[in-house]
């Protein structure tokens, strides 16, 4: 079970949004590379990065910040936001990403996801972001007609490394992760699922260690870490204890 600290990038800065609204951004660090080092020093083993501007633009908009992060940390980094082509995927993996996260293109062109999984085994994740149960695309600005489970099942057997499932209605508002829906998704597919959106307190970390959450690969935390609502040392110790007991 992995706790993924999040760095969301807007105009080169480390920010957090509320409910995916770009005009609600709170800047937490003007130096994303420094933030990456902080997370590594705190003991985190992975890093989750999103190019928010890129998600809307359909192409990289914070490339320099992402490269600075890759140079600043030894931790594996997964990146989403604006990665829409095989050329984008290949270019980022060549720069040292551990895996790319494909969101909008997973809805628009699922065959590209399958091709990427074959070309880059273990390095392609799918981001499924849902609002009101329906998958959202284009930086969460547009709703599709797809249900989250319906989309996830399209990639069974394709070699997807993980599904990052975000409940947009909880993202950035510290309402607690939607565990029921997330665990239902994890039980519906064989692909590892990472919970995202709303992680609020140590109670969510404890919830991650419960037996029915064992199918999850982990969860992503943003605002709760930045606001000090979760103590990294305590949270990581809880997860290590649960891992050792498994």
């Amino acid at each position: 079970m992995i706790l993924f600290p999040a760095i969301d990038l807007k105009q080169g800065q480390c920010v957090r949004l509320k409910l995916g609204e770009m005009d609600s951004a709170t800047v937490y660090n003007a130096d994303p590379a420094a933030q990456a080092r902080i997370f590594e020093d705190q003991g985190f083993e992975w890093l989750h990065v999103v190019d928010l501007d890129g998600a809307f633009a359909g192409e990289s908009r914070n490339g320099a910040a992402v490269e600075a992060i890759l140079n600043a940390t030894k931790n594996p980094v997964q990146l989403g936001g604006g990665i829409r082509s095989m050329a984008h995927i290949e270019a980022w993996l060549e720069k040292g990403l551990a895996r790319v996260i494909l969101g909008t293109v997973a809805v628009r062109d699922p065959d590209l996801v399958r091709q990427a999984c074959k070309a880059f085994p273990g390095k392609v994740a799918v981001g499924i972001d849902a609002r009101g149960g329906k998958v959202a695309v284009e930086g969460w600005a547009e709703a599709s007609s797809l249900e989250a489970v319906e989309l996830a099942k399209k990639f069974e057997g394709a070699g997807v490394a993980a599904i990052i499932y975000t409940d947009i209605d909880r993202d950035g508002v510290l309402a607690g992760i939607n565990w029921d829906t997330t665990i239902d998704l994890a039980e519906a597919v064989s692909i590892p699922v990472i919970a995202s959106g709303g992680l609020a307190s140590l109670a969510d970390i404890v919830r991650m260690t419960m037996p029915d959450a064992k199918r999850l690969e982990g969860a992503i935390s943003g605002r709760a870490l930045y606001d000090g609502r979760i103590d990294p040392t305590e949270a990581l110790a809880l997860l290590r204890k649960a891992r050792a007991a498994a």
Side-chain angles (χ1 to χ4, degrees), residues 31-231:
D31 186 345
Q35 187 62 54
R37 286 191 293 271
I38 289 169
F39 284 140
E40 183 178 328
D41 290 344
Q42 288 173 335
F44 291 99
E45 300 171 350
W46 266 85
L47 186 60
H48 175 80
V49 179
V50 178
D51 181 345
L52 295 171
D53 302 300
F56 284 93
E59 60 184 15
S60 176
R61 283 290 187 267
N62 286 282
V66 177
E67 289 188 45
I69 288 169
L70 289 171
N71 289 330
T73 182
K74 298 182 180 68
N75 283 345
V77 178
Q78 60 184 23
L79 171 70
I83 303 174
R84 307 280 173 87
S85 70
M86 193 67 80
H88 288 163
I89 295 165
E90 186 170 5
W92 274 120
L93 291 176
E94 285 181 351
K95 290 180 187 293
L97 280 180
R99 60 190 177 197
V100 295
I101 304 167
L102 306 181
T104 295
V105 75
V107 176
R108 304 279 196 234
D109 189 0
D111 283 341
L112 176 64
V113 177
R114 298 186 188 99
Q115 291 166 17
C117 288
K118 288 180 181 177
F120 308 104
K123 294 185 176 295
V124 178
V126 168
I128 298 181
D129 308 322
R131 177 182 280 124
K134 299 294 185 181
V135 177
V137 295
E138 305 293 345
W140 301 353
E142 298 178 21
S144 75
S145 60
L146 281 172
E147 298 280 349
V149 172
E150 181 185 359
L151 178 58
K153 286 185 174 179
K154 288 188 175 186
F155 301 110
E156 281 280 41
V160 171
I163 288 172
I164 293 96
Y165 175 71
T166 303
D167 185 329
I168 299 170
D169 295 320
R170 295 183 181 228
D171 190 70
V173 295
L174 301 166
I177 282 176
N178 186 340
W179 291 107
D180 291 343
T181 301
T182 305
I183 290 170
D184 284 348
L185 174 62
E187 291 177 344
V189 294
S190 61
I191 305 165
V193 172
I194 299 169
S196 176
L199 196 148
S201 68
L202 207 62
D204 278 315
I205 305 300
V206 172
R207 183 67 182 84
M208 288 169 67
T209 68
M210 296 294 102
D212 64 346
K214 284 185 178 180
R215 291 183 60 86
L216 301 179
E217 179 175 299
I220 292 166
S221 180
R223 190 176 291 270
L225 284 174
Y226 291 107
D227 286 350
R229 293 168 184 265
I230 293 176
D231 177 72

Side-chain angles (χ1 to χ4, degrees), residues 6-38:
I7 292 180
D8 288 358
L9 298 169
K10 181 183 180 186
Q11 297 176 356
Q13 296 180 310
C14 177
V15 307
R16 296 303 295 169
L17 306 183
K18 286 186 178 180
L19 306 175
E21 300 294 337
M22 286 290 273
D23 59 4
S24 70
T26 301
V27 177
Y28 280 97
N29 198 326
D31 186 345
Q35 187 62 54
R37 286 191 293 271
I38 289 169

